[in-house]
Amino acid sequence: MASSFTRILSSKRNVGILSLVGGSVAAGFLLHREHVTAGEPLRRRYPASAEYPDLRKHNNCMASNLTPAIYAKLCDKATPNGYTIDQAIQTGVDNPGHPFIKTVGLVAGDEESYEVFADLLDPVIKERHNGYDPRVMKHPTDLNATKIQSGVFDERYVLSSRVRTGRSIRGLSLPPACTRAERREVERVVVDALSGLKGDLAGKYYSLTLMTEQEQQQLIDDHFLFDKPVSPLLTCAGMARDWPDARGIWHNNEKTFLIWINEEDHTRVISMEKGGNMKRVFERFCRGLKEVERLIQERGWEFMWNERLGYILTCPSNLGTGLRAGVHVKLPRLSKDPRFSKILDNLRLQKRGTGGVDTAAVGGVFDISNLDRLGQSEVQLVQTVIDGVNYLIECEKRLEKGQDIKVPAPLKQFK
Amino acid sequence: MSDNIERISESMAKLSMKWLSAEDEYPDLSKHNNHMAKVLTLPMYKKLRERVTPNGFTIEGVIQTGVDNPGHPFIMTVGCVAGDEETYEVFKELLDPVIEDRHGGYKPTDKHKTDLNPDNLKGGDDLDPKYVLSSRVRTGRSIRGFCLPPHCSRGERRAVEKLSVEALAALSGDLKGKYYALKNMTEAEQQQLIDDHFLFDKPVSPLLLASGMARDWPDARGIWHNDNKTFLVWVNEEDHLRVISMQKGGKMKEVFTRFCTGLTKIETLFRDRGHAFMWNEHLGYVLTCPSNLGTGLRAGVHVKLPNMSKHAKFEEILTKLRLQKRGTGGVDTAAVGGVFDISNADRLGFSEVDLVQMVVDGVKLLVEMEKRLEKGQPIDNLIPAQK
């Protein structure tokens, strides 16, 4: 009996075809940088219906959109790196979610995941990003900080300002799927580029495996150090493998520009400072990002980006700009007003505690940031935060004086 | 290793190799202390990363848990797992020395004896119940042809569950029982299983999580036990099946007899349905963790040894008897009220009867020592030679 397997990879970039005939191997395949783990087709002895996950108790975007039909269509496909739908959805299968919080429930293992598994990812993106349809819409990228209006907050209320995003290096797999060598290559490429930053951006890299006790303590005191992820949402996706190999923190000497390497994404880029000068924070953010991009391009690399989805990151929730611009702001009175949530909603803002996502607010101080990531540009989102926070401060001031406040009209999305 | 398997595995591995070299991929094991880290050199890694089992399991799958869990300065963990039966062949160069190190010098050419005839056990029905509170024997079994928990797909895991539940449903007499699927059990059933100390939870140990065994929890996991609550089977926890025979008191022979009878019956029921357990002459019963090869057997008692445990030579005596101690919560727990879990330290290279005999004889001796110490008498002339 001739056992023959053909594996056709649906990927726009590279197509590899493997065939095994009989007991001996006559393997015909195209040699590319990325190969495929051909083990999968031999193993699949069960129909898609036997493999389909039990999602009846689940409440996440993946579970809402992964029908048996879509699963059947995707379960025999793989990206050129060998990443499969089972791997992409593992985190969502393992973490059913919470009745009130809707998590995404899937990740990308590489850039091609967004293409090969588009039948699932497009509806998930649409749901998560409030109707943004990647099949027909285009995402605007705009890192021109000069367009920002006002952007310096009242420092009696705003304690600190921060903008973060992520960037992925094209050609290397993302944290859920990368091998140790790929992860180390990401580290090498980025650290090499960062060493070319000058002036107020000049800085130093601290590798998690090599840092001294002293350096570690300093990074903790500066609130820069990140730990091995404990959230099962992240660990089930395989992002914490080989910890702490090839992970590290880079920051400039002034401690206002910080980059995390190989945590949840290839890089997370953060610009921050005490006080309310969001405009300056964003200006440094844009300048730093553009400079890093230039430096990696000089070395023959580029960021993962496309017109449809903007900047490509591990979690579909961070597509587009991947940008979260936020402040720590004192709103003791407003936060107790029953209209607070509605006001935030209409301003397209979200609140978090001062420890970040999943923490509580302390002393009436909230972390307020943009809700949206995709479908609006960086400039638009930061302006939304600036306008929104100014409005919140106005409300707080009015409540201080015993005056009433108004719930603003909801902002239009996808300007 | 069959020609067919070798050729398929080598060529498939070539296809999975990326453009980055073995040196780039080799894990940093400089801070590690587990069996895998002691054995996996760069030249070995280079060789093994070019292979893959017919089910697509690679060296990365084998070692991931050991890379992610550097270990403990005092406890030597194994640091590698099998994704299927073929793992032990395809990655021999790594697993043979790990097995040799872990199992007291067991060589790649050694043969393992299986003996599940309880008549061969001498004594074992008269451990003093004033000291021995409970007796228990456990092992694991894997169903040939299905991938093991680190690597199985949902479809495979469900097939293992289905086969197991069907086979167990055919048990009769004092072995007749019922299956409780983790995802379907009622609150009342769950509480009862907890009260009986039968319920197992989703693993929390990073050693297990890092190997991928907890994927898709609680899908296709469950607990079967007989109506008498003396024979219990875990389905799809750390292995396909974990089989446990237990009862209060010190009648280890009774426990072991039920264990052997039950296992043999289950094996027959599987064979009737066209399935065999993973077993071979060299490694005995094949399980996920190399530490459980051979018999996969842990026979133990909960025994009161408040005086003995404070004796300076307690550890030494246990080692001589080829026994180990644990707290009453199982591995990695503390002893409470001087009650210890005492069991065989070995798994491979001794038969089931051999190991239970060691426990029976060893515990008998420990209880005698405890009684002497109670009366303030010395125990030096009771201390045995190394077994």
Side-chain angles (χ1 to χ4, degrees):
Chain A
M1 181 191 83
S3 57
S4 62
F5 305 91
T6 44
R7 179 74 173 275
I8 298 172
L9 309 167
S10 48
S11 151
K12 291 195 184 135
R13 281 210 297 150
N14 300 294
V15 178
I17 299 175
L18 154 72
S19 55
L20 277 175
V21 178
S24 72
V25 177
F29 57 95
L30 299 174
L31 261 172
H32 288 283
R33 273 193 330 169
E34 306 86 12
H35 291 86
V36 94
T37 35
E40 314 288 336
L42 244 190
R43 281 188 66 200
R44 197 165 292 289
R45 308 140 71 194
Y46 302 92
S49 55
E51 296 283 5
Y52 182 71
D54 181 352
L55 301 171
R56 289 171 296 173
K57 295 199 181 106
H58 287 59
N59 183 45
N60 55 52
C61 296
M62 178 278 292
S64 303
N65 289 284
L66 184 68
T67 62
I70 292 178
Y71 181 75
K73 192 172 174 194
L74 298 179
C75 70
D76 282 328
K77 293 191 179 168
T79 69
N81 294 311
Y83 198 67
T84 63
I85 192 68
D86 283 334
Q87 288 173 284
I89 65 173
Q90 190 68 64
T91 178
V93 175
D94 289 346
N95 297 288
H98 192 277
F100 307 139
I101 302 166
K102 198 157 188 189
T103 45
V104 176
L106 80 157
V107 291
D110 50 24
E111 190 167 7
E112 293 85 349
S113 294
Y114 287 101
E115 304 287 314
V116 176
F117 308 120
D119 286 318
L120 174 60
L121 276 151
D122 286 349
V124 165
I125 289 168
K126 195 166 178 194
E127 182 184 335
R128 177 61 177 216
H129 294 281
N130 302 294
Y132 182 87
D133 189 346
R135 283 178 264 228
V136 298
M137 291 162 86
K138 293 217 197 321
H139 170 80
T141 292
D142 187 354
L143 285 161
N144 184 350
T146 62
K147 294 182 183 172
I148 293 293
Q149 316 238 315
S150 63
V152 182
F153 299 116
D154 185 336
E155 298 202 345
R156 285 171 298 170
Y157 297 87
V158 174
L159 307 177
S160 63
S161 309
R162 181 183 186 267
V163 182
R164 71 88 161 148
T165 188
R167 290 289 185 264
S168 310
I169 308 293
R170 177 160 280 160
L172 295 165
S173 298
L174 296 170
C178 67
T179 66
R180 276 181 297 277
E182 282 181 300
R183 201 185 295 111
R184 290 163 178 172
E185 185 76 349
V186 168
E187 185 188 38
R188 194 191 62 74
V189 168
V190 176
V191 172
D192 192 36
L194 293 173
S195 66
L197 289 174
K198 298 187 176 23
D200 70 318
L201 293 177
K204 187 177 166 187
Y205 180 64
Y206 302 87
S207 132
L208 248 57
T209 48
L210 298 175
M211 67 172 66
T212 67
E213 286 254 9
Q214 243 174 311
E215 288 169 336
Q216 187 175 311
Q217 194 51 54
Q218 187 60 56
L219 288 165
I220 291 172
D221 296 338
D222 291 328
H223 304 289
F224 283 174
L225 189 64
F226 63 85
D227 264 320
K228 178 171 179 175
V230 293
S231 163
L233 300 174
L234 299 182
T235 54
C236 290
M239 294 181 210
R241 287 170 302 128
D242 314 311
W243 202 274
D245 196 299
R247 272 84 168 190
I249 291 156
W250 180 98
H251 69 79
N252 67 347
N253 300 328
E254 303 185 5
K255 299 187 182 178
T256 54
F257 193 63
L258 165 69
I259 295 178
W260 290 353
I261 293 177
N262 285 320
E263 193 238 9
E264 187 183 331
D265 280 294
H266 283 174
T267 66
R268 283 288 177 96
V269 179
I270 301 150
S271 172
M272 59 211 261
E273 52 182 77
K274 292 250 179 268
N277 199 335
M278 178 61 91
K279 186 174 168 115
R280 187 165 61 204
V281 168
F282 185 56
E283 180 277 323
R284 185 185 317 109
F285 176 82
C286 295
R287 188 162 46 87
L289 272 174
K290 291 201 198 112
E291 193 49 17
V292 173
E293 184 159 24
R294 188 186 69 75
L295 289 162
I296 65 164
Q297 279 169 345
E298 265 178 10
R299 291 153 176 79
W301 298 88
E302 57 185 25
F303 290 143
M304 291 184 195
W305 180 93
N306 68 52
E307 265 195 329
R308 237 173 33 104
L309 298 173
Y311 289 102
I312 304 293
L313 294 177
T314 302
C315 181
S317 70
N318 281 321
L319 290 167
T321 60
L323 185 139
R324 192 171 93 83
V327 296
H328 281 188
V329 58
K330 282 197 264 206
L331 300 170
R333 285 172 188 75
L334 180 58
S335 56
K336 292 200 195 80
D337 191 294
R339 294 165 286 185
F340 186 41
S341 285
K342 186 80 177 117
I343 293 172
L344 289 174
D345 260 356
N346 286 1
L347 292 173
R348 307 290 315 153
L349 297 176
Q350 69 176 186
K351 71 181 198 301
R352 298 181 181 190
T354 45
V357 69
D358 297 334
T359 65
V362 175
V365 180
F366 285 82
D367 175 323
I368 303 289
S369 64
N370 52 295
L371 262 175
D372 302 307
R373 305 267 184 275
L374 173 65
Q376 293 187 64
S377 74
E378 289 80 354
V379 165
Q380 285 168 331
L381 291 174
V382 173
Q383 194 64 60
T384 299
V385 171
I386 288 169
D387 297 344
V389 169
N390 279 330
Y391 190 89
L392 295 173
I393 293 172
E394 277 313 302
C395 288
E396 183 69 22
K397 286 175 173 170
R398 289 177 72 91
L399 289 172
E400 274 172 27
K401 296 186 209 134
Q403 294 168 347
D404 196 21
I405 57 171
K406 261 175 40 165
V407 174
L411 287 180
K412 212 167 46 118
Q413 293 184 67
F414 309 137
K415 293 170 189 161
Chain B
M1 178 163 70
S2 103
D3 251 10
N4 229 22
I5 289 180
E6 178 155 3
R7 267 178 284 153
I8 291 172
S9 96
E10 300 247 359
S11 61
M12 293 211 304
K14 284 195 179 60
L15 297 163
S16 77
M17 275 167 65
K18 305 224 177 196
W19 50 284
L20 295 158
S21 70
E23 283 82 3
D24 293 322
E25 291 287 7
Y26 182 66
D28 178 356
L29 301 171
S30 52
K31 298 199 179 102
H32 286 58
N33 184 46
N34 56 52
H35 287 293
M36 179 278 293
K38 276 176 74 177
V39 170
L40 187 70
T41 60
L42 176 58
M44 184 188 289
Y45 177 73
K46 246 185 166 132
K47 202 170 173 190
L48 295 181
R49 83 187 269 266
E50 295 188 19
R51 300 191 195 155
V52 70
T53 70
N55 295 308
F57 198 59
T58 65
I59 189 65
E60 304 302 341
V62 176
I63 66 173
Q64 191 68 59
T65 178
V67 175
D68 288 348
N69 296 290
H72 192 277
F74 308 139
I75 302 166
M76 189 74 151
T77 45
V78 177
C80 52
V81 292
D84 52 22
E85 192 168 7
E86 292 85 349
T87 300
Y88 288 100
E89 271 300 312
V90 175
F91 302 110
K92 260 179 108 52
E93 284 87 339
L94 170 67
L95 287 159
D96 282 347
V98 166
I99 288 166
E100 191 164 344
D101 216 1
R102 177 63 174 214
H103 293 282
Y106 192 79
K107 297 199 178 6
T109 47
D110 285 342
K111 299 231 187 302
H112 171 82
K113 195 174 91 175
T114 293
D115 183 358
L116 283 162
N117 184 351
D119 294 336
N120 292 339
L121 183 71
K122 301 193 212 17
D125 254 338
D126 56 353
L127 298 174
D128 191 336
K130 284 196 270 352
Y131 293 83
V132 178
L133 307 177
S134 60
S135 308
R136 182 184 186 266
V137 183
R138 70 89 158 146
T139 188
R141 291 290 186 265
S142 310
I143 306 179
R144 178 159 282 163
F146 293 90
C147 291
L148 296 170
H151 193 49
C152 65
S153 68
R154 278 182 296 275
E156 279 181 298
R157 201 186 295 112
R158 289 163 177 171
V160 166
E161 183 192 34
K162 183 158 186 281
L163 277 171
S164 305
V165 171
E166 276 170 10
L168 293 167
L171 288 172
S172 58
D174 73 317
L175 291 177
K176 179 166 145 333
K178 186 177 166 184
Y179 181 68
Y180 303 86
L182 247 57
K183 62 178 178 169
N184 290 338
M185 64 174 69
T186 66
E187 287 254 10
E189 289 170 336
Q190 187 175 310
Q191 195 50 54
Q192 186 60 57
L193 288 165
I194 292 172
D195 296 339
D196 291 329
H197 303 288
F198 284 173
L199 188 63
F200 63 86
D201 263 320
K202 179 171 179 173
V204 292
S205 163
L207 300 172
L208 299 182
L209 295 176
S211 72
M213 292 181 212
R215 286 170 303 128
D216 314 311
W217 203 274
D219 197 301
R221 273 85 167 188
I223 291 159
W224 179 98
H225 70 78
N226 65 348
D227 298 334
N228 296 341
K229 297 188 183 180
T230 53
F231 194 66
L232 164 70
V233 178
W234 290 354
V235 179
N236 285 320
E237 193 237 11
E238 187 182 331
D239 280 293
H240 285 169
L241 301 170
R242 282 287 177 98
V243 179
I244 302 151
S245 172
M246 61 209 263
Q247 63 192 60
K248 294 247 178 273
K251 297 200 166 169
M252 182 59 92
K253 181 151 185 164
E254 220 176 271
V255 172
F256 186 56
T257 304
R258 186 183 315 111
F259 177 82
C260 296
T261 310
L263 267 175
T264 313
K265 285 218 164 84
I266 293 173
E267 184 156 18
T268 308
L269 289 165
F270 271 101
R271 214 177 299 126
D272 289 345
R273 288 156 177 74
H275 295 277
F277 289 145
M278 290 184 195
W279 180 93
N280 65 59
E281 261 196 328
H282 166 54
L283 295 177
Y285 288 102
V286 175
L287 293 178
T288 302
C289 182
S291 70
N292 281 320
L293 290 166
T295 59
L297 185 139
R298 194 171 92 84
V301 297
H302 281 189
V303 55
K304 280 198 264 208
L305 299 171
N307 294 294
M308 195 55 222
S309 56
K310 293 198 198 83
H311 194 281
K313 294 209 172 156
F314 184 41
E315 304 265 0
E316 191 192 306
I317 292 168
L318 287 176
T319 307
K320 288 204 157 97
L321 293 171
R322 306 196 73 87
L323 298 177
Q324 69 176 191
K325 73 182 195 310
R326 299 179 181 190
T328 44
V331 70
D332 298 333
T333 65
V336 176
V339 180
F340 285 81
D341 175 318
I342 303 289
S343 63
N344 52 296
D346 302 297
R347 303 274 182 273
L348 174 66
F350 300 90
S351 74
E352 288 82 353
V353 168
D354 291 338
L355 294 175
V356 179
Q357 192 70 64
M358 281 182 219
V359 173
V360 159
D361 296 345
V363 170
K364 206 165 174 187
L365 182 61
L366 288 168
V367 169
E368 222 189 297
M369 289 177 170
E370 179 70 22
K371 288 175 173 168
R372 287 257 191 110
L373 290 174
E374 271 174 28
K375 297 189 205 128
Q377 291 166 354
I379 57 165
D380 300 303
N381 66 331
L382 287 179
I383 293 177
Q386 176 68 56
K387 282 188 162 249

